[in-house]
């Protein structure tokens, strides 16, 4: 096989970035926009020893699962990867991906994995599910301000104001912002030169409360004629918070450190189940609220709480799972690396009147082993600005429960858990571990370790949080073997 050669390929699988995978002349080829079941022609672009990359030329026989994507820009835009695959088939792909990882990486027997796996939980309507959108602002060839999305792996803005994953108020808000910019000569930011004012607009929508937040990210300190913009934006039904975020650095990071509210409240409120959360522009919050409830309900179900349990929630973010579980547990202890998230978690506990949740800042793989070896007093020493309170003394009396909790929930980022953390979990020997995972490859690796340490998998349920993308979220119920 040579570069620029045209090959005919039957696509068998989907790669991590959504590309089709097939074989030709003994080589594995990755072909963007080709789907499993397609027979395509493609031109070879880049070759390695056993695999290569090719560009799709023509779909000769389309996959029976091919559909016409709702979004006309789905091939160019970096947001969705598999919109052209029928939704049922997307779900099947995700279920298979989890199963294959458990078999290949986890080393579990296929029949066993099939027994654990419950049906994947999809959405009834897999569109307009995102409660957060971040549109880059730039200019078209004539210099007019445009908003849109970055083309896959680039920083070229595709001007689309209608995204099928986002909520409908996004379009209205973009329309107001762009006309305001045009009428008042407000310049879009230009990445190449570092000049221009408006960089991004961040929009968040509370699905339950219907509250809207708009945060305009600017390369400067203020927006000229801001009052006109505020007047128009505040007239959008549901508008609750309008702010500017100052980001004057030449960076790809969207938000700068400073946020100034220019109208309304500093935050919007939303609910997951019956737990209330205050969300500010910097807060982390799950983007698909409809599926998040199903994900957390699964975690709750697998945790098997009766009201009397001690639970650790590791990688707790703003305490979403912790607070969801606290209603059904005696005590929940959350651990999270980002201090601001822990501040949000404590605040969220307070506004919900939840008193049986405590939060610690630090790396899960340090806090838990340190605690296990050195006990509670050391845990507080990690937070020097705190002085011991009566509550803390109370906490010390709970030490035995904390050392041997009933349930530990982990929800790590894609790289999974550090081995030192898993080793400590095995020593703490909770009866149940609930593993919430956004990467089934590292999940499989970690399950192997836990199962070698005296645990067994009971159930696995994938929940589709990110429809039309290749991201796959799942929950695993793990039980300590009773010897
Ligand atoms: N459970 C939360 C957040 C999950 S996302 C929810 O459902 O909303 C994973 C979280 O792990 C992020 O908040 C991230 O900041 C945090 N994190 C990343 N590495 C960590 C580590 N080593 N120790 C503790 N938390 C970590």
């Amino acid at each position: 096989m040579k570069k620029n050669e045209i090959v005919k390929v039957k696509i068998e699988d989907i790669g991590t970035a959504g590309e089709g995978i097939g074989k030709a002349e003994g080589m594995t080829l990755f072909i963007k926009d080709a789907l499993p079941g397609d027979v395509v022609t493609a031109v070879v672009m880049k070759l390695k020893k056993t695999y290569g990359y090719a560009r799709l030329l023509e779909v000769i026989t389309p996959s029976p699962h091919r559909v016409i994507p709702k979004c006309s820009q789905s091939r160019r835009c970096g947001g969705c990867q598999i919109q052209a695959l029928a939704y049922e088939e997307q779900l099947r792909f995700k279920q298979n991906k989890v199963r294959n990882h458990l078999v290949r990486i986890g080393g579990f027997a296929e029949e066993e994995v099939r027994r654990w796996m419950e049906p994947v939980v999809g959405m009834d309507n897999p569109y307009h599910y995102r409660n957060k959108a971040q549109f880059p602002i730039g200019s078209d060839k004539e210099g007019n301000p445009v908003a849109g999305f970055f083309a896959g792996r680039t920083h070229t803005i595709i001007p689309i104001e209608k995204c099928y994953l986002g909520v409908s108020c996004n379009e209205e808000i973009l329309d107001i912002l762009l006309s305001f910019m045009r009428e008042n000569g407000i310049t879009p930011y230009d990445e190449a030169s570092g000049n221009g004012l408006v960089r991004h607009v961040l929009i968040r929508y509370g699905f339950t409360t219907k509250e809207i937040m708009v945060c305009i990210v600017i390369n400067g300190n203020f927006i000229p004629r801001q009052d006109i913009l505020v007047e128009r934006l505040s007239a959008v039904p549901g508008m609750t918070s309008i702010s500017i975020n100052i980001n004057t650095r030449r960076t790809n990071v969207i938000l700068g450190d400073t946020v100034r509210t220019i109208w309304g409240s500093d935050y919007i409120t939303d609910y997951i189940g019956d737990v209330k959360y205050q969300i500010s522009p910097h807060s982390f919050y799950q983007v698909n609220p409809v599926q998040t409830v199903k994900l957390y309900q699964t975690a709750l179900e697998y945790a098997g709480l009766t009201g009397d349990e001690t639970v650790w929630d590791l990688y707790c973010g703003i305490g979403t799972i912790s607070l969801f579980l606290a209603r059904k547990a005696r005590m929940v202890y959350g651990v999270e690396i980002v201090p601001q998230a822990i501040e949000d978690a404590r605040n969220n506990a307070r506004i919900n009147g939840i008193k049986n949740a405590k939060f610690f800042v630090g790396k899960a793989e340090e806090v838990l082993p340190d605690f296990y070896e050195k006990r509670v007093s050391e845990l507080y020493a990690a937070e020097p600005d705190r002085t011991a309170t009566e509550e803390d003394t109370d906490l010390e009396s709970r030490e035995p429960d904390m050392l041997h909790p009933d349930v530990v929930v982990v929800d790590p980022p894609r790289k999974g858990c550090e081995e030192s953390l898993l080793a400590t979990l095995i020593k703490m020997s909770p009866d149940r571990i609930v593993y919430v995972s956004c990467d089934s490859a590292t999940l499989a690796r970690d399950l192997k370790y836990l199962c070698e340490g005296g645990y067994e998998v009971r159930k696995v349920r994938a929940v589709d949080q990110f429809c039309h993308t290749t991201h796959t979220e799942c929950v695993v119920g793990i039980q300590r073997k009773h010897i």
Side-chain angles (χ1 to χ4, degrees):
M1 186 177 287
K2 289 196 191 69
K3 198 176 159 187
N4 293 328
E5 188 179 323
I6 294 176
V7 286
K8 186 172 161 186
V9 191
K10 176 151 189 349
I11 306 297
E12 312 276 358
D13 202 357
I14 305 180
T16 40
E19 67 282 29
I21 305 177
K23 280 212 155 87
E25 299 169 32
M27 297 284 281
T28 301
L29 289 176
F30 295 87
I31 307 171
K32 186 178 168 312
D33 300 318
L35 293 175
D38 281 347
V39 177
V40 303
T41 50
V43 55
V44 177
M45 309 292 290
K46 200 166 151 190
L47 280 174
K48 303 273 183 189
K49 248 190 186 147
T50 57
Y51 66 93
Y53 300 89
R55 186 165 51 80
L56 178 66
L57 290 178
E58 195 190 348
V59 178
I60 308 172
T61 318
S63 157
H65 307 298
R66 223 177 222 290
V67 294
I68 296 168
K70 281 202 182 207
C71 174
S72 61
Q73 301 294 333
S74 72
R75 273 184 71 172
R76 291 175 68 205
C77 172
C80 293
Q81 298 100 40
I82 49 173
Q83 230 194 78
L85 190 61
Y87 185 59
E88 283 307 309
E89 220 29 49
Q90 293 185 19
L91 293 177
R92 229 164 61 89
F93 154 69
K94 294 186 183 190
Q95 181 86 336
N96 288 345
K97 179 162 115 180
V98 175
R99 190 177 59 230
N100 288 340
H101 280 154
L102 292 180
V103 173
R104 287 194 211 144
I105 302 170
F108 301 105
E110 178 148 357
E111 318 78 75
E112 189 178 32
V113 174
R114 282 185 189 274
R115 212 166 54 240
W116 301 336
M117 289 197 73
E118 303 189 292
V120 49
V121 183
M123 293 191 82
D124 293 337
N125 174 18
Y127 295 96
H128 304 296
Y129 62 79
R130 284 189 64 99
N131 58 12
K132 173 181 168 184
Q134 300 179 114
F135 295 93
I137 308 287
S139 353
D140 64 12
K141 288 199 188 79
E142 286 76 46
N144 297 312
V146 289
F149 288 98
F150 288 133
R153 296 180 190 179
T154 74
H155 268 211
T156 312
I157 297 176
I158 305 170
I160 18 169
E161 283 143 44
K162 176 162 185 60
C163 167
Y164 287 88
L165 304 193
V167 289
S168 59
C169 66
N170 290 347
E171 292 151 52
E172 190 179 355
I173 290 162
L174 287 180
D175 207 39
I176 292 174
L177 177 66
L178 294 176
S179 6
F180 163 79
M181 288 175 69
R182 270 193 306 269
E183 287 162 25
N184 294 281
I186 309 288
T187 50
Y189 181 66
D190 172 31
E191 272 190 336
S193 67
N195 296 326
L197 187 66
V198 182
R199 298 174 73 128
H200 265 91
V201 57
L202 162 68
I203 305 170
R204 292 183 117 155
Y205 176 72
F207 270 61
T208 321
T209 56
K210 307 206 174 351
E211 293 182 0
I212 302 171
M213 161 186 289
V214 176
C215 176
I216 300 157
V217 186
I218 55 172
N219 174 37
N221 285 316
F222 67 97
I223 304 176
R225 320 208 59 187
Q226 172 184 297
D227 47 329
I228 301 176
L229 178 64
V230 165
E231 190 187 319
R232 294 182 190 170
L233 284 176
S234 59
V236 175
M239 188 59 65
T240 304
S241 165
I242 306 174
S243 58
I244 51 176
N245 174 279
I246 295 165
N247 187 356
T248 53
R249 282 174 297 190
R250 308 268 307 251
T251 163
N252 285 342
V253 179
I254 295 177
L255 292 179
D257 297 333
T258 312
V259 181
R260 211 165 54 231
T261 303
I262 54 175
W263 183 85
S265 165
D266 294 340
Y267 54 82
I268 59 168
T269 305
D270 198 23
Y271 287 80
I272 299 179
D274 60 357
V275 183
K276 180 160 73 173
Y277 299 91
Q278 285 176 350
I279 309 147
S280 52
H282 274 117
S283 305
F284 171 86
Y285 191 65
Q286 295 280 357
V287 295
N288 182 339
V290 173
Q291 293 300 90
T292 297
V293 182
K294 299 180 193 167
L295 188 78
Y296 291 175
Q297 267 159 355
T298 304
L300 183 65
E301 183 188 322
Y302 289 0
L305 301 180
T306 61
D308 198 33
E309 290 82 3
T310 302
V311 181
W312 281 90
D313 175 23
L314 309 178
Y315 312 88
C316 70
I318 58 165
T320 18
I321 298 181
S322 320
L323 300 180
F324 204 78
L325 300 187
R327 294 265 162 87
K328 304 269 161 49
R330 186 151 61 94
M331 249 343 259
V332 180
Y333 302 101
V335 181
E336 160 64 43
I337 195 167
V338 177
Q340 175 62 43
I342 288 292
E343 255 177 60
D344 285 349
R346 289 183 180 138
N347 185 49
N348 289 327
R350 190 180 51 75
I351 62 171
N352 285 284
I354 294 175
K355 298 213 164 64
N356 59 334
K358 298 234 166 293
F359 297 97
F360 304 101
V361 180
K363 291 185 180 170
E365 64 273 19
E366 287 174 5
V367 171
L368 222 65
D370 279 7
F371 167 66
Y372 191 76
E373 305 305 336
K374 298 177 202 150
R375 309 290 161 100
V376 163
S377 49
E378 296 287 325
L379 199 56
Y380 278 119
E383 286 182 78
D385 52 331
R386 281 185 65 131
T387 46
T389 61
E390 251 173 59
E391 237 178 51
D392 296 345
T393 325
D394 179 41
L395 207 60
E396 279 179 35
S397 70
R398 293 185 194 276
E399 203 175 280
D401 292 345
M402 291 173 82
L403 279 175
H404 298 293
D406 303 283
V407 179
V408 175
V409 179
V410 295
D411 184 7
R414 286 192 201 155
K415 68 179 171 124
C417 299
E418 298 275 325
E419 205 173 297
S420 59
L421 173 67
L422 297 175
T424 305
L425 287 190
I426 290 169
K427 285 191 208 161
M428 288 175 125
S429 69
D431 188 58
R432 300 176 292 289
I433 298 173
V434 178
Y435 197 131
V436 183
S437 161
C438 56
D439 185 329
S440 48
T442 56
L443 165 75
R445 178 201 66 201
D446 292 350
L447 287 180
K448 182 169 194 255
Y449 189 92
L450 289 171
C451 289
E452 284 164 1
Y455 281 85
E456 58 191 3
V457 174
R458 285 291 171 84
K459 281 177 181 169
V460 180
R461 190 184 293 167
V463 178
D464 191 23
Q465 293 264 85
F466 307 105
C467 320
H468 309 294
T469 78
T470 52
H471 297 292
T472 309
E473 192 94 10
C474 66
V475 189
V476 183
I478 306 157
Q479 173 79 45
R480 189 175 43 152
K481 276 193 215 155
H482 295 283
I483 316 153

